[in-house]
Amino acid sequence: MYQVILLNDNFTPMEFVVVVIQHFFNKDRETATQIMLKVHQDGRGVCGVYTRDIAATKVEQVIGAARQAGHPLQCVMEAI
C-alpha cells in the first residue's frame, strides 16, 4: 500500500489545496481543511492510502490539476 502525500509550498493557495483534496480524495470540506492545515504546518500531509496503481494515478491527477491552474503544488506517493 502507498500513502499519497501533498507537500507544502509558499505559492499554492490554501483554498486550491482544499478543493484538490475534496475532489481527488473524496473528503468532506472539514477533513480537507484539516489535511490542508497539516500540509501548511508540517510541510506534508497524507491524503489517503491506496494500492500502487491507484496512488500513482492520484499523484498524476493532482499534479496535472495544479499545473493546469498554474500552481506548483507537489504530490508524491510513499510505500508504507
Side-chain angles (χ1 to χ4, degrees):
M1 297 299 286
Y2 290 79
Q3 294 178 328
V4 178
I5 300 167
L6 291 180
L7 304 177
N8 189 45
D9 65 72
N10 293 324
F11 305 101
T12 305
M14 291 180 184
E15 180 59 30
F16 180 79
V17 176
V18 170
V19 170
V20 162
I21 295 167
Q22 287 180 282
H23 181 75
F24 294 108
F25 300 98
N26 204 25
K27 305 292 186 189
D28 60 47
R29 182 154 186 87
E30 182 178 335
T31 303
T33 300
Q34 290 172 353
I35 294 169
M36 176 275 295
L37 288 172
K38 180 136 182 72
V39 171
H40 181 69
Q41 293 167 351
D42 298 344
R44 55 193 279 135
V46 176
C47 296
V49 176
Y50 306 94
T51 60
R52 185 174 58 86
D53 290 344
I54 293 173
T57 299
K58 298 248 182 226
V59 168
E60 289 176 17
Q61 290 173 329
V62 169
I63 292 174
R67 295 308 169 271
Q68 187 172 13
H71 301 304
L73 182 65
Q74 288 294 311
C75 185
V76 296
M77 57 189 257
E78 293 179 356
I80 55 171

